[in-house]
Amino acid sequence: MGFARACSVALVGVDGVVVEVQADLEPGVAAFTLVGLPDKTLVESRDRVRAAVVNSGAAWPQKKLTVGLSPASVPKSGAGFDLAVAAAVLGAAEVVDPGAIADLVLIGELGLDGRVRPVRGILPAVLAAAEAGYRQVVVPQQCAAEATLVPDVSVLGVRSLRQLIAVLTDGVVPEEEPPDPPGRPDPMLAGLFVPGAGLGTGLARGTGSEGEAPDHPDLSDVAGQHAARRALEVAAAGGHHLFLSGPPGAGKTMLAERLPWILPPLTRQDSLEVTAVHSVAGILPPGEPLVARPPYCAPHHSATMQSLVGGGAGVPRPGAVSLAHRGILFLDEAAEFSAKALDALRQPLESGHVVIARAAGVVRLPARFLMLLAANPCPCGRHNLQGAGCECPASVVRRYQARLSGPLLDRVDLRVEVEPVTRSDLLGRGGRGESTATVADRVREARTRAAARLADTPWRLNSEVPGHELRTRWPAAPGALAQAERDLERGLLTARGLDRVLRVAWTAADLRGRDRPDALDVAVALELRTGIARGATLHPGTGTGS
């Protein structure tokens, strides 16, 4: 009788659980039994592993074989267990030393010819293994760069089961040459990318080498729209949600597409979080193991609730809110989204994560994003424009605008009316606006001030700080909130709205370089939230109100 064990990782959302793969050989009729709550893909590994072992030059044991996946109560899915199953079987058959694989974490899919194919979710799987105390992992060679992002873990990348057997038996490691001519795409990478799974996600590319023009749209291309540009800057500096309402062609989408580039690059921890989500979702670009820029996710208005918040058959998968984690979720034509889908965003907007309960289990996915809504004022888009010929009845306009519910808009800090572009702005007579780099510098400085103030707290952005903390721990200047308190008494603000006004006021103060917000900062925040003029206008190039 032979027994051996190896380890692999089961992913539940973006969280991993180390699974012990046990192989037991007993005398009897040759059979292969797989137990431990596997899904259909994992059940089929019996045939893949048997063919891979035989085609790798090793003998398949002609005994009763039982492979158990422990803990048995955790659902296990995918082909990433193939490599661990093969190693455990070879250890039980004493082809390799069982002691050499006992504490080895193996992740990878096996082809019938013995080649190791890459799988999704390598980074969160290796992170889970490292947190459980394992220090040696074996992954497909194409995923080795992603696995090495985890510190203090020794990573071995292999292209075939033959190479793994040679390493474990101290033999000569064979060279596995690619089956296709050089220059052609590696077909093995097909398992890393799921077409259509990105939901409009755009991962930011580099900014161009020195002396070359950046390969991203510049904020100076936007004609006019000074108020909207300032609101965009405030949103980026404090992580505040933004709603742009205006006629077609005013530049709402142009502004949204430039927002990711005024955000600072992701920190190391944020990069790992974002990369883990995108790796599980199957949209991590090949050759770019670490996402360094904030993601930009812009789903179509026909997106379902499941595609926005996550879901699907079996174990729920990340939706648009998770793919936009630490980045931007842009909902263009927001009024065209279903009311059910939009209202499903209310919980992740508050908590920064989404909890999805299904029969197969409960998954908690990260969803700390900056939401940008854009909508027309009416179905034809010409409402309130002089001489535009809007023929929408008042009842139709009210129903159209009511598609964005009050509870959802109450969670949006900034609401800006985008005016039509004038001829002088379009022809550039007023001069070009500031570039993305200039605005990004001010945003970075404002975030640095906020981070220094919040250094010993669990929060990093003004939009994350609870209102109670802002009122007690970091009070505004005396009398600064008088106007906001009057709006609260008049019903123009809710209690949540007052807290959000205070958060925006702190961001305005950070942009001005002030130690705490005064009445001017609060007036700017009120104007950006209610749309009612407060005598405070935002001037381009200063980040201040006056």
Side-chain angles (χ1 to χ4, degrees):
M1 181 178 69
F3 176 83
R5 64 183 181 90
C7 296
S8 191
V9 179
L11 289 178
V12 183
V14 293
D15 298 320
V17 178
V18 175
V19 173
E20 189 177 84
V21 181
Q22 303 170 341
D24 177 69
L25 284 174
E26 296 182 355
V29 178
F32 189 170
T33 303
L34 184 64
V35 298
L37 208 59
D39 70 344
K40 183 174 178 56
T41 303
L42 187 50
V43 168
E44 293 175 348
S45 68
R46 296 178 299 184
D47 300 317
R48 291 194 301 271
V49 170
R50 181 188 292 110
V53 169
V54 173
N55 291 325
S56 297
W60 183 259
Q62 298 300 316
K63 294 182 179 180
K64 181 182 179 182
L65 171 62
T66 303
V67 174
L69 308 175
S70 179
S73 59
V74 175
K76 305 164 190 74
S77 61
F81 292 88
D82 289 1
L83 200 58
V85 171
V89 171
L90 293 173
E94 298 183 351
V95 175
V96 300
D97 181 10
I101 62 173
D103 295 320
L104 199 60
V105 177
L106 303 101
I107 307 166
E109 177 185 348
L110 286 175
L112 300 183
D113 56 355
R115 287 186 298 171
V116 180
R117 301 181 64 92
V119 294
R120 301 189 301 273
I122 288 292
L123 177 59
V126 177
L127 283 170
E131 292 176 358
Y134 293 87
R135 292 293 175 262
Q136 290 183 312
V137 298
V138 179
V139 299
Q141 190 178 64
Q142 296 91 334
C143 302
E146 183 180 344
T148 54
L149 296 174
V150 182
D152 302 325
V153 173
S154 176
V155 178
L156 173 63
V158 295
R159 294 190 67 93
S160 68
L161 184 59
R162 285 182 291 271
Q163 289 184 338
L164 178 61
I165 294 174
V167 171
L168 294 175
T169 58
D170 295 326
V172 178
V173 179
E175 291 290 337
E176 297 288 348
E177 297 186 2
D180 295 305
R184 293 187 60 183
D186 189 350
M188 302 290 283
L189 297 177
L192 294 180
F193 184 78
V194 180
L199 292 170
T201 297
L203 292 179
R205 301 185 299 274
T207 57
S209 58
E210 186 176 356
E212 296 181 0
D215 61 352
H216 59 80
D218 198 273
L219 197 58
S220 61
D221 298 333
V222 180
Q225 304 302 352
H226 300 304
R229 288 166 60 96
R230 294 302 96 207
L232 209 69
E233 181 177 341
V234 172
H240 305 287
H241 306 304
L242 173 62
F243 175 39
L244 299 177
S245 175
K252 301 186 295 295
T253 302
M254 288 185 66
L255 289 164
E257 291 174 344
R258 284 149 179 79
L259 180 56
W261 297 102
I262 64 177
L263 293 175
L266 298 174
T267 64
R268 175 74 177 186
Q269 180 60 36
D270 290 346
S271 293
L272 291 176
E273 292 177 6
V274 174
T275 302
V277 174
H278 286 248
S279 178
V280 170
I283 59 174
L284 194 64
E288 298 182 19
L290 186 66
V291 179
R293 296 288 312 179
Y296 174 80
C297 189
H300 190 259
H301 61 257
S302 61
T304 63
M305 183 182 69
Q306 288 76 16
S307 66
L308 285 180
V309 301
V315 178
R317 303 193 65 81
V321 297
S322 296
L323 299 180
H325 180 58
R326 300 298 179 188
I328 293 140
L329 176 65
F330 176 46
L331 302 182
D332 199 6
E333 303 296 344
E336 301 294 340
F337 281 79
S338 72
K340 185 178 180 181
L342 289 176
D343 286 338
L345 301 176
R346 286 152 55 177
Q347 185 254 345
L349 284 175
E350 286 290 327
S351 62
H353 61 266
V354 58
V355 178
I356 307 171
R358 296 291 186 270
V362 178
V363 174
R364 184 181 186 273
L365 298 170
R368 178 73 65 182
F369 57 91
L370 192 163
M371 183 177 69
L372 177 55
L373 302 173
N376 297 326
C378 68
C380 75
R382 300 189 296 271
H383 185 62
N384 290 337
L385 294 182
Q386 293 183 355
C390 176
E391 299 179 354
C392 300
S395 59
V396 173
V397 174
R398 286 195 300 269
R399 284 196 299 269
Y400 187 80
Q401 295 178 350
R403 293 182 181 180
L404 300 177
S405 67
L408 176 65
L409 290 180
D410 198 38
R411 290 166 168 82
V412 178
D413 299 347
L414 313 174
R415 308 172 193 174
V416 178
E417 292 288 338
V418 181
E419 300 294 336
V421 181
T422 63
R423 182 174 62 178
S424 60
D425 287 333
L426 193 59
L427 296 178
R429 295 175 183 173
R432 287 170 60 89
E434 290 180 309
S435 66
T436 296
T438 302
V439 178
D441 288 340
R442 286 201 301 269
V443 169
R444 183 173 60 253
E445 292 173 1
R447 287 203 173 196
T448 301
R449 294 189 187 98
R453 183 173 63 251
L454 304 173
D456 298 328
T457 71
W459 314 293
R460 292 183 298 173
L461 298 175
N462 292 325
S463 61
E464 301 173 1
V465 184
H468 173 73
E469 295 290 335
L470 289 177
R471 291 191 298 270
T472 57
R473 189 170 180 178
W474 297 287
L481 292 174
Q483 196 171 14
E485 292 169 354
R486 287 195 297 269
D487 284 358
L488 178 64
E489 294 175 354
R490 294 164 56 192
L492 296 178
L493 284 179
T494 63
R496 181 192 289 120
L498 180 61
D499 288 345
R500 292 183 177 274
V501 165
L502 188 54
R503 294 172 185 172
V504 175
W506 267 105
T507 300
D510 288 334
L511 286 169
R512 298 173 64 201
R514 300 298 183 91
D515 292 334
R516 58 177 177 173
D518 54 19
L520 178 60
D521 297 316
V522 174
V524 169
L526 284 171
E527 186 168 335
L528 286 173
R529 180 171 180 84
T530 64
I532 301 174
R534 308 285 174 156
T537 58
L538 293 175
H539 294 296
T542 63
T544 64
S546 63

